[in-house]
């Protein structure tokens, strides 16, 4: 007996939770698991919206049959997104339902062929095209690069459900609560921002373009491929994604350092204390050698202020800081106040490389970089005071 959940009388959640996988995309930690959401519309024609990861294919087909029985067939599979966390059960579905029509766009089919060798059953749709299921009508909105080039959204017109793919998704398994009115929002807000900043943030401008395409569409339910289904207050998730993709951040600061023997860490603590004395309450201090990149990116996306510190390491930054700054550059994080500090050690490199990173971004340097020769002396701490004051002044000007 498989438990499925109804969004409406004829629209069912048939997703699965994954609490086994340690790293999403073999990169991003899943301490709280993840859900792969799929949906079934039980009408004159039966339609599925996206599938699940391949290891759950058998359970997934059992769920479908627990709703429509083993005699009825599935008419359509809508593929909003081809990343294997959603397309992993397609081959199993085609084996089970050889006549199923796979709904996508030209880019969908290119990837379908490349990943699964599936050259038939294609049902190509163009923007704004519709499919009538009987009592439900599906309309397709092309939203490329949210998160891959083929991504699209599907809007069910009768009940005003937006099947949004990765957009509006979240890390975190669905532990009993499926809908936004059944969950602890604070938990999912963190996991949602982490998901957004790690996976979708690079494509923020494409998220903004998607919002333009959604203008004027009346949405009762947002049903993404990960995380909760938003039926009570869909605007809550829409406005968070809007804010994050505009690079709007909160009043606060994250200090991230790479420190071999603790001298650079000491400077981080000193600067953080001085910022706190000036009234800033949201301050996080993180050791890049211990806190995973995923969480560091999440906190950079969260707070307007970012203070980066590194001792020299083989004339470069500490490698974990190099990984962080390379990733921030790659994903194009924007709109921050920046401070830089570190230790010269025996030949310098940490502060020098952090300064080069700063020059490649549009972030606003609030003060001159601070560099200790080894252990910070009185003069260095005075420069740290100036950095802290400048950062706090900028942050205190925010509402
Ligand atoms: Fe959830 Fe881009 O796949």
């Amino acid at each position: 007996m498989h438990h499925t959940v109804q969004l409406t009388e004829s629209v069912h959640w048939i997703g699965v939770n994954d609490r086994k996988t340690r790293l999403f995309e073999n990169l991003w930690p899943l301490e709280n698991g993840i859900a792969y959401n799929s949906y079934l519309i039980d009408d004159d024609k039966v339609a599925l919206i996206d599938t699940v990861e391949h290891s759950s294919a058998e359970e997934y087909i059992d769920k479908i049959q627990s709703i429509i029985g083993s005699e009825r067939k599935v008419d359509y599979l809508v593929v909003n997104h081809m990343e294997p966390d959603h397309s992993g059960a397609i081959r199993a579905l085609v084996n089970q339902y050889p006549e199923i029509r796979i709904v996508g766009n030209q880019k969908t089919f290119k990837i379908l062929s490349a990943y699964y060798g599936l050259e038939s059953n294609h049902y190509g749709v163009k923007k704004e095209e519709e499919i009538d299921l009987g009592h439900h009508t599906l309309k397709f909105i092309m939203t490329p690069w949210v998160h891959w080039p083929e991504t699209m959204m599907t809007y069910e017109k009768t009940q005003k459900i937006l099947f949004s793919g990765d957009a509006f998704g979240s890390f975190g398994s669905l532990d009993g609560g499926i809908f936004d009115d059944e969950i602890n929002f604070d938990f999912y807000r963190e996991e949602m921002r982490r998901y957004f900043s790690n996976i979708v943030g690079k494509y923020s401008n494409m998220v903004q373009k998607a919002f333009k395409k959604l203008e004027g569409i009346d949405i009762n339910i947002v049903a993404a491929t990960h995380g909760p289904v938003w039926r009570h207050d869909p605007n809550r998730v829409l406005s968070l994604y809007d804010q994050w993709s505009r690079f709007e951040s909160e009043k606060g600061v994250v200090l991230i350092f790479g420190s071999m023997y603790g001298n650079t860490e000491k400077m981080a603590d000193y600067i953080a204390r001085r910022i706190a004395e000036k009234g800033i309450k949201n301050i996080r201090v993180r050791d890049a050698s211990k806190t995973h990149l995923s969480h560091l990116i999440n906190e950079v996306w969260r707070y307007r202020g970012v203070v980066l510190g590194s001792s020299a390491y083989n004339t470069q930054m500490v490698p974990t800081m190099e990984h962080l700054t390379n990733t921030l550059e790659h994903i194009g994080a924007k709109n921050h106040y920046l401070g830089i500090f570190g230790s010269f050690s025996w030949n310098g490199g940490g502060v020098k490389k952090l300064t080069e990173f700063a020059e490649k971004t549009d972030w606003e340097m609030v003060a001159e970089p601070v560099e200790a020769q080894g252990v910070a002396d009185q003069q260095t701490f005075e420069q740290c005071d100036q950095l802290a004051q400048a950062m706090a002044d900028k942050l205190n000007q925010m509402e």
Side-chain angles (χ1 to χ4, degrees), residues 24-25 36 81 83-86 147-148 166 195 199 225-226:
F24 183 72
E25 296 178 338
Y36 310 118
H81 183 21
E83 192 166 2
D85 52 332
H86 311 296
H147 147 230
W148 280 13
D166 278 351
Y195 175 81
I199 309 298
T225 45
H226 303 287

